[in-house]
């Protein structure tokens, strides 16, 4: 289909990583996170941590970087969720 | 570090995929999705779609399956978000 699917992987990684930024900004601005599931945030962050460790084992810098950034954003979202809990 | 890091990848994929189920259930039950960012949902779903296509190009069933399930859950969340918009 393509001689090198790498660009598709980089595009996918960029989109799923950057995606969390508008959510963090929205939660920070509205100071409201009631509709966010803490179970989702916990499971998702744990999964992204495993992806990062997977990258460490494979010594793959793109996997480590993409998941490292996502992990930071997901953890910040979890902290905001707990902080703005009503 | 490990002879085979596959189990770590499968664990990571299972966690980041299953994670969206409690969020969908919460949104369905509370009928409230104001705190969810539509920009996040759109970017994230687009990214997961790219991951799935990446799996198609690589002919990798685990990548297609994991991202296919995540995509369905993310799209359902987006539909609920639009439906419960106030």
């Amino acid at each position: 289909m393509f001689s090198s699917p790498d660009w598709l992987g980089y595009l996918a990684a960029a989109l799923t990583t950057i995606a969390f930024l508008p959510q963090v900004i929205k939660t920070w601005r509205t100071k409201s996170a009631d509709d966010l599931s803490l179970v989702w945030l916990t499971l998702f962050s744990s999964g992204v941590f495993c992806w990062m460790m997977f990258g460490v084992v494979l010594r793959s810098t793109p996997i480590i970087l993409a998941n490292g950034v996502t992990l930071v954003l997901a953890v910040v979202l979890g902290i905001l969720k707990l902080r703005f809990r009503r």
Side-chain angles (χ1 to χ4, degrees), chain A:
Chain A
M1 202 165 163
F2 300 103
S3 56
S4 163
D6 281 1
W7 66 270
L8 195 56
Y10 285 119
L11 176 65
L15 281 170
T16 50
T17 299
I18 288 167
F20 280 82
L21 203 58
Q23 179 64 63
V24 168
I25 292 170
K26 183 189 174 86
T27 306
W28 174 257
R29 279 194 186 149
T30 59
K31 312 244 178 285
S32 169
D34 289 347
D35 296 339
L36 299 177
S37 159
L38 198 59
V39 184
W40 163 63
L41 272 168
T42 308
L43 288 176
F44 190 79
S45 302
S46 309
V48 172
F49 178 78
C50 288
W51 276 128
M52 200 175 71
M53 286 301 110
F54 185 68
V56 170
V57 174
L58 293 183
R59 298 184 187 204
S60 162
T61 308
I63 297 181
I64 298 171
L65 268 184
N67 287 288
V69 174
T70 309
L71 185 61
V72 168
L73 292 171
V75 167
V76 166
L77 206 53
I79 293 169
L80 293 179
K81 159 84 185 167
L82 293 174
R83 193 171 152 184
F84 299 145
R85 189 182 260 180
R86 277 176 277 191

